[in-house]
Every structure is written in structure tokens, then in C-alpha cells.
Amino acid sequence: MSQTDKSVNVLIVDDDELDRRLVKIVLAKSANLIRFNVESAQTITEALGKFVKDNCFNIILLDLNLPDGRGMENVQKVSIAAPNVPIIVLTGLDDEETGLESIRNGAEDYLVKGDGLAYTLVRTIRYAIERKKEKASLVEAKNELEQINARLLKATATAKEMAAEAGKANAAKSQFLANMSHEIRTPMNAIIGFSEVLEEEPLTEQQKEYIKMILGSGKHLLRLINDILDFSKIETGKIKIENVECDIRAMLANVESLMNPAAKAKKLELKIEFAEDVPRLIISDIVKLQQCLINLVSNAIKFTEQGYVKIAVKQVEKENKPFIVFEVIDTGIGIPADKLSIIFDAFTQVDGSTTRKYDGTGLGLTITKQFAGLIGGDISVESEMGKGSIFRITLPADIAAGQQQPAPESVADRQTDEKIERIIETGHSNCRDNLRTEFSGRVLVAEDNKTNQTLIKLLLEKLGFVVTIAANGVEVGEAVRKQQFELIFIDMQMPEMGGCTAARRLRSLGVKAPIIAMTAGIDEEDKKECLAAGCDDYIPKPVDKNRLIKVISSCLEITTMMSAG
């Protein structure tokens, strides 16, 4: 409770007139800080009647011995009748065990009657009210997570039933899986997002462990959803290949940035090595190639307990033609020789015990092999039990015109990257006060889902922004007419007016602020549609806090502002 609160409504339940008078005198002396509105009851029955009639008390001061009730019975009755109102027990016994028993039965605190009340009563009241509020907030958050989890379980059960009905037609099944993956991302966004927010709050060790388990399970389920979606698209031939100029070093820097947190969490070294003759630019599908390398590095980190994971890039010749070879090398557990021939098969793990210890769908390597083939390459593996593995992707070196050797990285570029990394690491280490100093200004968020509204508003406010919510595309247009925003987030699927239509409308109105799309779609078509509509960037759902900071930093050119400091 802050000192700016105007008044506190107090109910004293005590049959001793002198004790009631003493409490009122003590509270009256604090009128310059807090105004206490005091009512009295001499019995439990009278007190319960006041709850029914008024129900407006902020604190209850309860005597243990009353004409119609004794001891912990009084605490239990009042606690049941007013579960959201903190209780402070006033007792004439200077007995710690009595006080602790009162707390176990529902009281927030206890005080011994007498002259000492003048020094402790007001402070104890304020602390009790604040503790009760914090407990209520945690209970509310826990209930919300449970409701979301129940909806997710229901959605998953529905998905299984629908999958059985659509199993006769492979194309229909794959379309269903894609749609359900999209729908599941909405509750997944809330589960992961609110779990990350709760993880930063002051919790008990047991509560931290619960949140950690919820967050881990949510992220694991998200990985399964992504694998299933990719596999279904490959099955139905819906994967499109788009060959463009690919800056190898920039791509691998992105892979390193994405995978470094997982490597650091296991105290592994993640290294990247280039041979001198590797060209800077090649022609390939950069998205598929990057996904292949992310899958392999993620696998390597998962199966390596100590040592390192390394990406080595070199150029070789086969039949007088140049090829680029990407090797992902680890010092992990290795793969038995008799299993090497099946590890790229769908739904396959090395053995049952590995499946139990290292969970997964068994689709990761299958997807990687399929992607490598689609972009004109091949994948192979060498491994030795207890020493590690080497996964090797070999691609034709379709070298792009232009500079063949890497351009030297400037000192300024390195400093900028380091500063961005510090922002992300600050957020990851829960230093929220530092994050708030990095951003400011007004942000408009267009999102129709109430839970996602609450989550993205909370994340952005923690970064220092003032947030306005619009429930659909129509409200977005109304909001920008009333005031100017430094940044606009738009959900791509909204009622009345979709996100892409809203983005085009904003640009037609002359809105210059960066627009960031929020989308549950993760394929290239979704991304292209967002950018074509006038968006500057996009955030996939579930929203990742580190990705959010990077995108905001890019759109607001925060690196330029930071360079002055």
C-alpha cells in the first residue's frame, strides 16, 4: 500500500472498550499519513453482520477472546466470511506460538496489546494489506494459467479427434495440422509469455520451480508443433524454394545469436570457423539453409553435456565443381554405428532410453534432410560413441557475383552488436529497471484476444513504453487520428478488418511509424504478406522477449541512439 492511498477502512472486533479506544487513538495519530475510517464490533456475530451489510473493509483487527467465540475459531470464521480482507490478530498474550497458529488459520499477522501498539500497529496494517494484495495477484495468475492450460488440453484433445477423422486423406490431414498449429499458438503465447513474466516476480523457490516447469513444457510443446507443421508441409509438397543471394557469415552470425543462450545454459562453447577460400555470397534458399543449421546445432547442444559445438565451413571440389560444406561438430554422446542408417527416418530416435531422456518427435533430422535435398544439397553423418558426431551438409557453391571474400567487420559494427546483446542479456537476467531506460514513447497495439492484449501490453510497459490497445483494425484507424505513435503492433488475424488491410490503410493515411506484424503463421508466405502490406518487420507468436527487443531496436534504430553513450 502506497503512502498516497487516501483512506483505509478498519473493523475492530473486540469486546473491551479500553482496547478499542487505544487502537482508535493510535490510528488517529497517523491521520497526516493515512486516514483510517474505524468501525467496531464487540462479537463475532456483529462482525459477520457488518461484512454482509457493508463489505468494504480493508483490514480487520481481531481479538481472540470474544463473548461468542474463542481462539482460532474466531480467526477461521472471519477468514471464511471475508477471504480477501487481511486479518491482524490482537492478543493480550505475548505468546509466539499463539501468533503463529493464528497465521496458520488465516491471519496475516498478530500483535500484542499494550503500549507497543503505538509503534507497530500502523506499519503492520500497511504490510498486511500489501501482502494480501500480492497473494491475491499470484492466485489470480495461477488460476489464469490453469484455465489457459485447460483450454489448451481441450484444444489438443479436439485436434486428436479431428486428426483421426481426416486421416484418410493425407492432404486434408496436413492442412488440418497446419490450422491447428495456428490455433494452438494463441494459448501457447499466453502460457509462455505469462510464465516468463511470473518468472521475474519475487516468488518462493517452490513457486519458481512450478513456473520453470510450466515454461519448459510450453516451449517443448511449441517445438513439437513446429516440427509437425514442417513435416506436414513437406508431405504435401507445400514447401517453396526461393533462391536468393545468401551472405554466409551474416546467416551464421544469426544462427550463433539464436543458439548461444542454449549453449551457455549447458556451459558449452559454441564456435564458428571459416576456411579462407569460402565465398561471402552464394545463391541458395537462406531460410531453409539456416533452418537446417539451427536444427543440427540444436540437436548437438541437446546431446552434448560438456565440451563444445562447432560450425565449420569450407569449400571443396567434386568432379571439378565447387561445393560449400557446413559441418556441425559436437563432443556429445555419439551415435551407435548400427543406428546411423536410420537416424534420418521419420519419428525415429536412436533408442527408447534416448527418447525418454532427450524428448522430441523424432522429426528434426528428417526435416533437415528433406530441406537439404530441396535446396540441392545432401546431408551425411559420422559419429563415434562417447566422442561425438559430425553432421555435414554439402551444397553446390553457386557463387553470387560480387565480393568473394568477407568484408572486414568495423569496430562500430562490433560495438553495436555488443550493445544490442547487452540489452537482451539484461532482459534475460531480469534487470527490468535497466530495460525501461532503453525505450520510451507511445505504442499502439492492435490485438483482438484479451489474454494476448494483457501480455503484450505488460511486456511493452516493462520496456518503458506507454501502450494503447485497439481491439480490431477499425479501432486502429481511429486511434492514429487522435494521437501520434512511435511504434505500431498489429495482429494479422482480427475481426472486422484484418491486420494486412489495417497496415495498408495506415500507410494510405500517411502514417510513417514503424509497423510490426504479430502473426501465428511461421512460413515464408505469411512473412511476405506482412511486409507487402506495409509492415516493417514481424514477431511470430508465441512472442519471444529477446526477439521482441531486437525487432524494436531495429525499427527504432536504437543502435544509433546508444552510440552516443
Side-chain angles (χ1 to χ4, degrees):
M1 183 179 64
S2 68
Q3 295 184 3
T4 59
D5 289 342
K6 294 181 179 180
S7 64
V8 174
N9 297 325
V10 182
L11 176 62
I12 305 173
V13 187
D14 197 321
D15 62 333
D16 190 310
E17 175 61 26
L18 292 176
D19 289 338
R20 295 199 302 272
R21 186 177 301 172
L22 173 61
V23 170
K24 290 178 180 179
I25 291 172
V26 171
L27 296 180
K29 289 181 178 180
S30 301
N32 62 329
L33 182 64
I34 302 171
R35 182 164 60 86
F36 292 93
N37 304 317
V38 183
E39 290 191 32
S40 301
Q42 299 185 40
T43 65
I44 288 293
T45 303
E46 184 181 359
L48 295 180
K50 287 182 178 291
F51 298 154
V52 174
K53 180 180 178 181
D54 298 323
N55 194 26
C56 62
F57 298 106
N58 304 114
I59 192 77
I60 299 169
L61 306 178
L62 177 64
D63 185 25
L64 287 180
N65 295 313
L66 297 169
D68 58 345
R70 290 287 185 273
M72 298 305 122
E73 177 185 356
N74 292 346
V75 180
Q76 293 170 359
K77 287 181 178 179
V78 174
S79 180
I80 293 172
N84 297 321
V85 183
I87 301 169
I88 297 176
V89 167
L90 296 179
T91 174
L93 299 174
D94 190 1
D95 178 15
E96 184 178 355
E97 185 56 39
T98 299
L100 292 175
E101 189 176 358
S102 300
I103 293 173
R104 286 193 288 268
N105 280 275
E108 285 295 321
D109 212 336
Y110 73 97
L111 291 172
V112 179
K113 296 178 180 180
D115 295 336
L117 285 180
Y119 304 100
T120 59
L121 181 58
V122 174
R123 182 178 60 190
T124 303
I125 287 175
R126 297 177 66 193
Y127 288 177
I129 292 174
E130 197 62 36
R131 283 198 300 272
K132 196 72 173 180
K133 287 181 179 178
E134 290 295 326
K135 288 180 181 178
S137 297
L138 282 174
V139 170
E140 183 179 354
K142 178 176 177 292
N143 290 339
E144 185 171 1
L145 281 173
E146 289 176 347
Q147 292 172 8
I148 292 170
N149 190 50
R151 292 198 297 269
L152 177 61
L153 291 174
K154 184 178 179 180
T156 304
T158 303
K160 290 181 179 179
E161 294 174 3
M162 294 179 67
E165 295 174 2
K168 295 180 180 180
N170 190 54
K173 177 194 69 175
S174 297
Q175 184 62 48
F176 156 75
L177 289 172
N179 290 340
M180 285 309 301
S181 295
H182 183 279
E183 292 300 321
I184 289 173
R185 283 174 178 273
T186 296
M188 287 304 306
N189 186 49
I191 290 173
I192 294 175
F194 280 115
S195 296
E196 288 179 339
V197 170
L198 280 176
E199 194 178 37
E200 297 181 357
E201 297 297 327
L203 304 172
T204 65
E205 290 302 314
Q206 187 179 46
Q207 289 167 338
K208 289 179 181 178
E209 189 63 24
Y210 291 160
I211 295 299
K212 184 179 179 181
M213 286 189 284
I214 293 172
L215 189 56
S217 298
K219 290 183 176 180
H220 175 58
L221 182 55
L222 182 61
R223 288 193 295 270
L224 300 185
I225 292 169
N226 289 340
D227 280 352
I228 292 170
L229 181 58
D230 283 341
F231 187 70
S232 68
K233 288 181 177 179
I234 291 171
E235 276 192 325
T236 55
K238 292 183 178 180
I239 297 292
K240 295 182 179 179
I241 301 302
E242 184 175 357
N243 291 322
V244 295
E245 281 192 358
C246 170
D247 187 323
I248 297 177
R249 285 162 177 79
M251 178 198 64
L252 289 180
N254 193 41
V255 173
E256 182 180 30
S257 174
L258 291 170
M259 301 310 303
N260 226 7
K264 286 182 178 179
K266 295 187 70 172
K267 299 180 180 179
L268 301 174
E269 183 181 7
L270 180 57
K271 302 186 289 187
I272 297 180
E273 293 180 359
F274 290 90
E276 291 182 358
D277 60 346
V278 173
R280 181 170 66 89
L281 299 175
I282 63 172
I283 303 297
S284 185
D285 188 318
I286 185 172
V287 175
K288 304 301 184 299
L289 177 55
Q290 178 173 291
Q291 186 61 52
C292 288
L293 293 172
I294 287 173
N295 287 351
L296 293 179
V297 173
S298 177
N299 243 29
I301 292 172
K302 181 166 69 171
F303 293 104
T304 302
E305 299 302 328
Q306 58 183 1
Y308 64 85
V309 173
K310 179 170 66 176
I311 305 174
V313 188
K314 60 185 178 181
Q315 182 172 266
V316 299
E317 279 196 3
K318 292 183 177 180
E319 300 177 352
N320 296 322
K321 295 180 180 179
F323 288 81
I324 303 295
V325 179
F326 298 85
E327 293 181 336
V328 177
I329 306 165
D330 66 63
T331 55
I333 61 175
I335 304 168
D338 61 338
K339 302 294 183 182
L340 291 174
S341 61
I342 65 169
I343 61 170
F344 295 106
D345 294 344
F347 308 105
T348 301
Q349 293 272 14
V350 170
D351 59 40
S353 63
T354 303
T355 304
R356 288 190 293 271
K357 183 176 180 181
Y358 303 99
D359 47 23
T361 57
L363 290 174
L365 289 176
T366 302
I367 293 169
T368 302
K369 182 177 177 63
Q370 294 286 346
F371 279 178
L374 288 170
I375 61 177
D378 192 17
I379 187 170
S380 59
V381 59
E382 297 175 12
S383 187
E384 185 174 349
M385 287 296 294
K387 291 188 177 181
S389 304
I390 303 174
F391 284 84
R392 188 176 291 110
I393 295 177
T394 304
L395 292 176
D398 189 357
I399 300 172
Q403 187 175 0
Q404 300 299 301
Q405 296 302 322
E409 183 184 29
S410 70
V411 174
D413 288 340
R414 284 199 305 273
Q415 290 175 342
T416 295
D417 291 341
E418 290 167 0
K419 287 176 181 177
I420 289 293
E421 186 64 24
R422 282 201 298 273
I423 296 174
I424 296 168
E425 290 177 352
T426 301
H428 188 68
S429 62
N430 304 337
C431 298
R432 291 167 292 168
D433 291 337
N434 288 341
L435 280 178
R436 292 192 186 101
T437 66
E438 300 294 345
F439 302 102
S440 63
R442 294 179 299 276
V443 174
L444 176 62
V445 174
E447 168 66 68
D448 63 299
N449 182 276
K450 293 289 186 182
T451 303
N452 287 339
Q453 286 177 3
T454 302
L455 176 60
I456 190 66
K457 184 173 186 289
L458 181 59
L459 291 174
L460 291 172
E461 286 178 344
K462 285 179 178 291
L463 295 175
F465 291 110
V466 176
V467 181
T468 298
I469 297 293
N472 54 58
V474 176
E475 292 184 11
V476 170
E478 296 172 355
V480 298
R481 288 189 181 96
K482 294 177 181 178
Q483 61 178 309
Q484 185 175 348
F485 297 91
E486 281 69 42
L487 198 61
I488 299 172
F489 288 82
I490 297 182
D491 180 35
M492 288 295 101
Q493 291 193 339
M494 294 185 295
E496 297 188 42
M497 182 186 294
C500 288
T501 304
R504 292 189 186 95
R505 184 179 180 186
L506 290 177
R507 294 307 187 205
S508 69
L509 293 173
V511 174
K512 302 298 183 183
I515 299 175
I516 299 174
M518 298 184 295
T519 173
I522 58 173
D523 59 27
E524 284 302 299
E525 292 302 317
D526 295 314
K527 298 170 187 176
K528 287 181 180 178
E529 187 178 4
C530 294
L531 299 177
C535 297
D536 296 89
D537 211 330
Y538 64 93
I539 295 283
K541 294 180 181 178
V543 175
D544 177 78
K545 183 172 63 178
N546 290 353
R547 172 68 184 272
L548 177 66
I549 293 172
K550 280 188 173 181
V551 170
I552 291 173
S553 300
S554 174
C555 287
L556 297 182
E557 297 181 344
I558 195 159
T559 51
T560 303
M561 292 184 286
M562 286 173 18
S563 64

